[in-house]
Amino acid sequence: MGGTWFLGKAVVEGALARGWEVTTFNRGRSAVDVPGTQVVRGDRTNARDLEALAAHGRWDAIVDTSASEMAPRDVLLGTQLLADSADRYVYVSTVSVYQGWPDHRLTAESPILDGPADADEDYGRMPAGADGPNLHYGRQKAGAERAVLAAFGPERSAILRPGVILGPGEYVGRLPYWLRRAARGGLILSPGRSEQTIQPIDVRDVAGFLLDQAAATGQAVHNLAAPIGRDTMGAFLASCLSVTGGRGSLVWAPDEFLVRHGVRQWTEIPLWRTHAGVWQVDATTAVEAGFRARPLEETVRDTWAWLSADGRPVEHPRASDHGLDPDKEQQLLAVIGA
C-alpha cells in the first residue's frame, strides 16, 4: 500500500531483492513506481478502487506503509475489503499510540490510547484553545491498529510501532536539516546535553523487518527503536560534521534556555524534546524477532551521500515545519554569549 517513496520504496526494493513478486497500490501522484513491480492505480479511500485491487490477489501479505495520516475508518474500509485477498497484514503504526508517550518508558505491552476502528479524521482532535498534549495523531493511529485487528484478526496481523525513522529518501527533513547545518559550519546551536541519548532507526532496517514480519506467522506487536542508551545527540552531531566536512563548533544550549525562548520542540530543532520518555522505547520483542538497528553513523553517512548526489525527497508539507531559521539561531547564540 504505497510503495513509491521512503519507507514504502525501501520495502518494495527489499522485497524485489528477495525475489518476491510485488504489487503496489497508489494514486501515482507522489513518485515513480519501482521498476519490476505490478502497479495498480487507485485511491485507498475509494471502495471501488479497493475492490478492483482485491481482484488482483491473492497475496501472501499486505504491507501498509501509507496510512500515516489516514482516518481509522478508511483503514477499516481497506482491510475489510482486502481481508479475503491476503494471508497477513503488516501495519506500520507509531509509538505515539501509547498512553505514556512521550513521558514514560514504553514496552510493546504498554497500554495504548482510545480510538475506535471506525473513527473519522476528527476523532481525538483538540478543541481550539484547549490546554494539554495533542493526542489526535496517537488516537487516530490507535484506531487504525484496531481497524487492522478487526478485519484480519490478531493471528493474521503484525503491528509495528517505530519511533523516528531516518535515512536516504527522508521527506520530513530531520536528518537533512542537521546535515546541511553541519555542512554550513560556524557556531551550531545544539540542543540540551551532548550526552542525551537518542534512538533513531534506519529506514532500510525498518523495511527489512517489515518483510520478515510479512513472511512470519502468528500475532506480532513490536516497537522499533535503536537500543536505549546506545546513541547520543553529541555523537550524532559529530557524525554530521564528520561526513559533511563541516568546520563547525557545537554550542550546547540547555533545555530550559530553549524552552524559555520559545523554540519548538521536535520540529524547529529536529530530534530535540525534553519529555523523559521520548528516547526510552524498549524494542526487546522486535530484537528477539530479528530486528537489528545499524550504527547511526552509517545512516548519517549514507543520507549525506544521497543528498550529495542530488537526492530529492518527495515534497511533503511536514518538511516546512522542520529546522531552525538561521537568523533566529544567531540571535539565540548571541544571547548565550557564543
Side-chain angles (χ1 to χ4, degrees):
M1 306 293 278
T4 61
W5 46 288
F6 200 41
L7 179 56
K9 181 180 180 182
V11 169
V12 170
E13 291 174 340
L16 292 172
R18 296 185 184 200
W20 295 5
E21 296 179 7
V22 181
T23 301
T24 57
F25 178 67
N26 57 67
R27 295 175 299 176
R29 297 178 182 176
S30 299
V32 298
D33 297 281
V34 176
T37 61
Q38 178 182 3
V39 179
V40 180
R41 292 281 183 248
D43 184 335
R44 57 178 298 175
T45 65
N46 184 296
R48 288 188 176 181
D49 288 352
L50 290 163
E51 290 167 351
L53 171 64
H56 286 266
R58 179 179 188 93
W59 299 282
D60 297 302
I62 295 173
V63 180
D64 188 351
T65 65
S66 68
S68 61
E69 298 174 10
M70 185 167 291
R73 67 178 180 184
D74 292 324
V75 177
L76 181 62
L77 173 67
T79 51
Q80 287 175 333
L81 292 175
L82 295 171
D84 293 331
S85 299
D87 297 331
R88 189 165 178 79
Y89 203 97
V90 182
Y91 179 67
V92 180
S93 185
T94 169
V95 293
S96 295
V97 300
Y98 288 111
Q99 294 177 16
W101 169 259
D103 298 308
H104 303 289
R105 185 184 178 110
L106 301 172
T107 71
E109 291 75 36
S110 297
I112 68 172
L113 294 164
D114 60 317
D118 60 352
D120 64 16
E121 61 273 9
D122 290 323
Y123 183 86
R125 197 180 298 281
M126 291 283 287
D131 293 326
N134 187 352
L135 303 178
H136 176 249
Y137 178 64
R139 284 175 168 150
Q140 290 277 303
K141 294 292 279 188
E145 287 189 10
R146 294 184 175 103
V148 171
L149 294 172
F152 275 78
E155 292 299 319
R156 297 171 59 207
S157 304
I159 306 294
L160 306 181
R161 298 168 179 157
V164 173
I165 304 175
L166 305 177
E170 185 204 329
Y171 62 90
V172 175
R174 296 183 176 109
L175 180 49
Y177 165 77
W178 281 118
L179 286 166
R180 292 182 177 117
R181 180 62 193 90
R184 198 165 75 240
L187 299 179
I188 301 173
L189 187 72
S190 307
R193 301 172 294 113
S194 172
E195 63 270 23
Q196 172 63 55
T197 59
I198 58 177
Q199 293 180 274
I201 45 179
D202 192 289
V203 63
R204 296 162 293 185
D205 297 332
V206 177
F209 189 68
L210 292 182
L211 294 172
D212 291 344
Q213 288 301 303
T217 58
Q219 185 175 5
V221 178
H222 300 297
N223 294 331
L224 300 183
I228 295 174
R230 187 191 72 175
D231 302 310
T232 67
M233 195 68 178
F236 166 70
L237 294 183
S239 293
C240 291
L241 285 167
S242 176
V243 302
T244 62
R247 298 182 179 275
S249 299
L250 305 178
V251 179
W252 293 94
D255 292 336
E256 299 79 10
F257 171 85
L258 296 173
V259 171
R260 187 168 66 251
H261 285 82
V263 178
R264 296 192 311 276
Q265 299 185 43
W266 211 233
T267 54
E268 202 166 16
I269 297 187
L271 305 184
W272 169 65
R273 202 163 185 173
T274 59
H275 300 75
V278 69
W279 301 119
Q280 293 290 312
V281 178
D282 186 334
T284 298
T285 64
V287 172
E288 291 173 346
F291 178 68
R292 296 293 181 269
R294 74 187 64 199
L296 185 53
E297 312 90 78
E298 184 177 334
T299 304
V300 170
R301 183 193 67 219
D302 292 349
T303 304
W304 179 243
W306 166 69
L307 287 171
S308 300
D310 199 28
R312 296 181 184 273
V314 170
E315 293 186 6
H316 195 280
R318 291 176 63 188
S320 62
D321 295 332
H322 289 77
L324 187 62
D325 179 79
D327 290 338
K328 183 172 182 178
E329 181 183 25
Q330 292 305 310
Q331 293 169 6
L332 293 169
L333 287 168
V335 175
I336 294 174

